[in-house]
């Protein structure tokens, strides 16, 4: 079986009550400083091997793919299919309308300006696709984790 892509690696979310579930916590450590991991510390015992305290880690499967978004943008971007895939149906409809109105009005010159605006939106999408994919995957992970 193929290895999962990097964006499917689980990332625990902080607890809702605001306490830290990992990282560094102040405790009665031997040197009086901070200790990593957020483990329960028992004086006289090593903290290694103790279970990690915090929310359970859940693998989220079924998130959006930036690669698929770019493929859709390249082959079917003129129809706005990548916008429908990224759960932006209103913008997808705007792309279809701009493309259709632009081509139907090219004989009267105004269509070239509409197509230019449509092309500018397509170029902007090149930079916004990764942000939208990340936003959708975070939303899915939070919904699965109950946040």
């Amino acid at each position: 079986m193929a290895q999962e892509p990097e964006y499917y690696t689980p990332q625990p979310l902080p607890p809702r009550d605001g306490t830290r579930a990992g990282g560094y916590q102040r405790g009665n450590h031997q040197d009086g400083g901070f200790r990593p991991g957020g483990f329960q510390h028992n004086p006289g015992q090593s903290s290694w091997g103790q279970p990690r305290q915090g929310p359970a880690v859940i693998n989220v499967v079924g998130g959006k793919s930036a690669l698929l978004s770019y493929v859709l943008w390249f082959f079917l971007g003129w129809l706005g299919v990548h916008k429908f895939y990224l759960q932006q149906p209103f913008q997808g409809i705007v792309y279809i309308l701009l493309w259709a109105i632009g081509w139907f009005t090219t004989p009267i010159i105004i269509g070239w300006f509409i197509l230019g605006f449509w092309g500018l939106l397509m170029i902007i999408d090149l930079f916004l696709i990764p942000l939208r994919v990340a936003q959708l995957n975070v939303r899915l992970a939070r919904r699965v984790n109950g946040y």
Side-chain angles (χ1 to χ4, degrees), residues 1-142:
M1 193 154 153
Q3 187 178 2
E4 291 182 349
E6 183 178 290
Y7 51 84
Y8 285 140
T9 56
Q11 298 295 327
L13 296 170
R16 292 183 185 180
D17 61 1
T19 60
R20 295 183 60 140
Y24 290 93
Q25 293 182 352
R26 182 177 280 290
N28 296 330
H29 201 252
Q30 295 166 348
D31 60 357
F34 292 92
R35 58 186 166 76
F39 296 108
Q40 295 291 339
H41 182 69
N42 296 328
Q45 293 184 358
S46 172
S47 63
W48 294 103
Q50 297 290 328
R52 184 180 172 279
Q53 300 297 316
V57 177
I58 299 173
N59 284 327
V60 178
V61 179
K64 300 295 181 181
S65 166
L67 178 64
L68 180 58
S69 299
Y70 279 117
V71 168
L72 291 173
W73 176 89
F74 186 78
F75 290 107
L76 298 171
W78 57 276
L79 285 175
V81 173
H82 63 291
K83 290 293 190 180
F84 289 105
Y85 174 71
L86 295 174
Q87 297 179 357
Q88 296 174 317
F90 178 74
Q91 292 181 11
I93 292 170
V94 169
Y95 275 52
I96 293 171
L97 290 175
L98 284 174
W99 182 82
I101 292 170
W103 279 112
F104 285 126
T105 57
T106 51
I108 57 172
I109 309 298
I110 194 166
W112 294 108
F113 295 108
I114 296 172
L115 287 175
F117 179 67
W118 168 83
L120 180 65
L121 290 176
M122 290 289 288
I123 292 171
I124 291 172
D125 279 345
L126 280 174
F127 300 101
L128 293 183
I129 283 176
L131 298 174
R132 180 65 180 167
V133 168
Q135 181 185 31
L136 290 172
N137 288 339
V138 165
R139 185 186 305 164
L140 177 63
R142 288 180 186 262

